[in-house]
Amino acid sequence: MLADLRYALRQLAKSPGFAITAVLTLALGIGANTAIYSIIHGALTLPYPHSERMIAIQNVFPTGSYYAASWPDFEEWSAKSTSFTGLVASFSSGMTWDGAAFGHAVPESVNTGLVSEGFFDLFGMKPILGRDFLPAQHRQGAAPVCILDENFWREQLHADSGVMGRALDLDGKSCTIVGVMPVMLPAGHRPTHVWIPLETNKPWDRHGTNYLFVRGLLRSGVTLQQAQAELSTIQSQIDRQFPDNKHAVAIHPLSQAFFGDLRPIMQALLVAVGFILLIACVNLANLLLARASDRTREFAVRRALGASSRRLVRQAMIESFLLAAGGVAAGLLAALALTHIPLAAWPKGFVPPSAVHPDAAILGFACILGLVTGVLFG
């Protein structure tokens, strides 16, 4: 095998023009595919533990319209379902922040996220500073507290570690800062600046008052279909109690709730660049066929000297894999240069991935492409 490898390297070194052309041809196909895959991996993957088991739940009305859930629905689902390790609820609201105490002369609009108990635990989020909300702080009458988003803390409060325990003025009411949380993927494409404990307050505690975005984590081994069947049974019991507010319920993967409209665009783009790789392989196959024709005399001499057909095929495959390895290496460099093109043309209304870089999954994808294409054009 080592002798074949050394021989393959000598043969490629004798034809540097062919080797460079072959590697660059393959690099274009692998680079384009790896660049798009890098963006899809960064943009369509939820950055949370067990994200493949995270779901979103919505009410579905006879008109076919989807609505958020009401607080009583959320409580019933949480109490009676066994398919989830937990369900949490949240909703967003705009508030006015009076930042005079922090050196901001003009009040500013901030996005607040009101979250139920266990919200950050479900997403595996740990505070950078301070602590999470305590269970008692979700009860009516509790002293108002808040948690800051990391970006808000860094940009507006200059990453001051002394903010813990200070008061934040929102809509003329003070809340005590108890923690700072890492940046979360924005729901509804609006980043949250401040988090507040969600309480039940009239008239928001009635069936039919749908304002909550409900998310959950499927238990290990429970399928989406099983969870849907259980939740539909629970909802039918609720409908019998409240016939004026009949509706179905639907469970979707949380990634679909976040990326539903963006996913087909990215998948179509991946198919398009897949054709670029296919064209590169065809061109490379033609180059190798032409090279094989020129080497007919060499192969005939080697056969006459006793080389088997298997040995000649192995030699050709080693050369193909060497070209594939060079194509993967050059393709990764090309991918780094190509990723900025789709990001510059990112669809409006969608948050672009915060970072696109070749991690282990992307490196694995590039290696698989090299392996497959090595077999194909070999």
Side-chain angles (χ1 to χ4, degrees), residues 141-355:
V145 293
C146 60
I147 289 175
L148 306 180
D149 167 76
E150 181 184 0
N151 278 349
F152 179 82
W153 172 62
R154 294 187 183 280
E155 294 169 8
Q156 301 294 341
L157 305 183
H158 311 294
D160 180 7
S161 59
V163 299
M164 295 298 101
R166 293 183 63 181
L168 198 75
D169 191 301
L170 297 173
D171 282 355
K173 297 179 181 178
S174 292
C175 60
T176 302
I177 301 171
V178 296
V180 177
M181 279 288 174
V183 178
M184 292 191 70
L185 193 69
H189 318 301
R190 293 174 55 192
T192 299
H193 302 124
V194 182
W195 302 97
I196 299 173
L198 177 62
E199 302 174 1
T200 53
N201 292 306
K202 295 181 179 180
W204 305 104
D205 59 350
R206 296 197 303 251
H207 282 280
T209 306
N210 302 307
Y211 65 103
L212 294 177
F213 184 13
V214 178
R215 286 162 274 197
L217 185 67
L218 289 173
R219 289 190 184 279
S220 181
V222 176
T223 66
L224 200 67
Q225 292 73 21
Q226 291 170 332
Q228 176 70 68
E230 182 191 45
L231 215 56
S232 295
T233 300
I234 295 171
Q235 188 59 46
S236 65
Q237 297 169 356
I238 298 173
D239 290 345
R240 284 194 291 271
Q241 289 180 280
F242 302 92
D244 294 335
N245 186 44
K246 276 190 167 184
H247 58 78
V249 63
I251 303 178
H252 306 286
L254 188 59
S255 60
Q256 179 180 327
F258 275 102
F259 309 125
D261 295 332
L262 185 58
R263 189 179 296 275
I265 297 173
M266 301 304 295
Q267 289 173 338
L269 191 55
L270 186 60
V271 170
V273 296
F275 280 107
I276 295 177
L277 179 61
L278 181 60
I279 293 170
C281 288
V282 171
N283 289 336
L284 198 53
N286 289 331
L287 286 172
L288 285 170
L289 284 172
R291 177 174 167 80
S293 298
D294 292 338
R295 297 174 68 186
T296 302
R297 181 183 177 86
E298 174 200 334
F299 292 144
V301 171
R302 294 188 68 190
R303 285 298 297 271
L305 293 174
S308 65
S309 297
R310 181 178 179 181
R311 179 70 181 271
L312 294 177
V313 169
R314 186 175 71 182
Q315 181 65 53
M317 290 303 296
I318 288 175
E319 291 186 21
S320 296
F321 279 116
L322 284 175
L323 293 173
V328 169
L332 286 173
L333 294 176
L336 293 175
L338 291 172
T339 48
H340 75 279
I341 298 175
L343 291 176
W346 200 254
K348 291 182 179 179
F350 293 97
V351 177
S354 57

Side-chain angles (χ1 to χ4, degrees), residues 51-110:
S51 60
E52 72 284 355
R53 293 194 279 123
M54 288 185 172
I55 53 90
I57 305 175
Q58 294 174 303
N59 288 333
V60 184
F61 288 84
T63 58
S65 300
Y66 288 82
Y67 289 92
S70 68
W71 182 267
D73 286 341
F74 166 66
E75 285 191 317
E76 292 274 356
W77 299 339
S78 299
K80 296 181 179 179
S81 64
T82 59
S83 298
F84 313 100
T85 58
L87 293 178
V88 295
S90 66
F91 80 96
S92 299
S93 176
M95 291 187 175
T96 300
W97 171 48
D98 183 353
F102 296 90
H104 291 258
V106 180
E108 299 180 28
S109 177
V110 296

